Amino acid sequence: MKTKNKNILYKKRLSILESSIKIISDNGWNQNTFKLISKNKFFSINEINILFSEGYIGLLKFSLDQINIQLQNKFNSNLLRLPLHKRIRKILISKFELMNQNKEFYRQTFLHLLLPNNSKILFKQLYKSVDLMWYIAGDYSTDFNFYTKRIILSGIYSRLSLFFFNNKNFKKMEEILDSSLNAVSKIPKYKHRINTFKNSIPSLFTFIKSF
């Protein structure tokens, strides 16, 4: 019974998210988001507030969780037959292809997360995204490389996101990605270079995960 109720609530949240895409694409994320969504007559503002108790930020987080779920579902097949850098390339390109379907929605989301008061959410979501990408790529490391890989991929993903949301040239973005992916093959070198941060980096990611 509990599982059934959870599924119903989840479907309602998805419906609200789907209804919000055009609204947020046109108006961005703000305190009036729920009011604008409720005007479509499908959902009352009270119902939306109950389903997203954190307010519109809860809906924003939910939207990012959903695209991560879509990305994971896209890679049910085994990628391990590919070299590591090609696995990461394929995953990153797929993530941007998914966002490209509703590019303005995700651009508004990205811009909103760049606001200073949303920095905690931004770092939390960035961590979740790159952590999932490495998981999909088949990385289950638990040593220092775990943190090194996520730091490197965070930089690559952030750089590509800035380009993606400000340009329409997908091919150029792929070129930037290919040049950036050299960093992935140099992880052992980076490990030695940032060895002085070995004690602080795990604490940093623990801190980010606790937001």
Side-chain angles (χ1 to χ4, degrees):
M1 189 65 177
K2 286 184 179 180
T3 302
K4 184 178 179 181
N5 288 337
K6 284 183 179 179
N7 288 337
I8 292 171
L9 293 176
Y10 179 71
K11 287 178 181 178
K12 284 187 176 181
R13 291 189 181 102
L14 279 179
S15 296
I16 290 171
L17 174 59
E18 290 167 5
S19 298
S20 73
I21 289 175
K22 186 178 187 313
I23 292 167
I24 291 160
S25 297
D26 294 340
N27 301 279
W29 293 93
N30 54 69
Q31 296 295 337
N32 291 321
T33 296
F34 284 179
K35 187 181 293 185
L36 292 172
I37 296 171
S38 68
K39 285 183 178 179
N40 67 18
K41 308 301 181 185
F42 291 112
F43 307 98
S44 70
I45 194 164
N46 287 336
E47 184 178 16
I48 300 171
N49 280 318
I50 290 170
L51 289 168
F52 295 99
S53 58
E54 287 185 86
Y56 76 91
I57 287 295
L59 177 59
L60 184 152
K61 291 178 183 177
F62 182 76
S63 71
L64 296 177
D65 286 342
Q66 295 318 298
I67 198 165
N68 281 338
I69 290 171
Q70 290 178 51
L71 182 66
Q72 189 167 9
N73 289 340
K74 189 176 176 68
F75 289 100
N76 287 327
S77 59
N78 198 329
L79 291 174
L80 295 180
R81 57 188 175 78
L82 297 173
L84 178 61
H85 71 284
K86 289 188 177 181
R87 281 180 252 162
I88 292 295
R89 185 186 192 280
K90 193 174 182 67
I91 292 164
L92 279 165
I93 291 296
S94 295
K95 180 68 177 284
F96 286 105
E97 286 175 344
L98 287 170
M99 288 195 290
N100 201 44
Q101 295 172 17
N102 292 294
K103 185 173 181 177
E104 186 55 29
F105 172 84
Y106 290 107
R107 191 180 80 86
Q108 292 288 353
T109 302
F110 181 73
L111 291 174
H112 193 71
L113 288 175
L114 288 177
L115 296 174
N117 58 317
N118 291 327
S119 59
K120 289 183 179 181
I121 302 170
L122 173 62
F123 284 115
K124 174 73 173 181
Q125 293 300 325
L126 176 60
Y127 176 84
K128 286 174 72 173
S129 292
V130 298
D131 186 52
L132 176 65
M133 289 177 194
W134 278 115
Y135 177 81
I136 294 171
D139 174 66
Y140 309 112
S141 60
T142 56
D143 59 4
F144 185 61
N145 276 341
F146 176 93
Y147 304 103
T148 311
K149 289 174 180 177
R150 279 147 186 79
I151 289 170
I152 292 171
L153 190 54
S154 293
I156 295 173
Y157 183 50
S158 298
R159 182 187 180 194
L160 290 174
S161 295
L162 285 169
F163 182 88
F164 173 73
F165 290 120
N166 289 285
N167 297 273
K168 295 181 179 179
N169 192 336
F170 211 88
K171 185 170 180 59
K172 177 64 177 176
M173 188 192 74
E174 291 188 43
E175 291 174 4
I176 294 171
L177 171 58
D178 288 335
S179 65
S180 298
L181 279 176
N182 288 327
V184 174
S185 63
K186 296 175 182 177
I187 284 175
K189 295 181 182 179
Y190 281 105
K191 178 178 177 180
H192 293 295
R193 287 180 189 176
I194 61 177
N195 194 49
T196 55
F197 297 102
K198 186 170 183 179
N199 293 324
S200 60
I201 290 172
S203 300
L204 172 63
F205 275 102
T206 301
F207 179 59
I208 291 171
K209 289 168 74 175
S210 68
F211 284 156

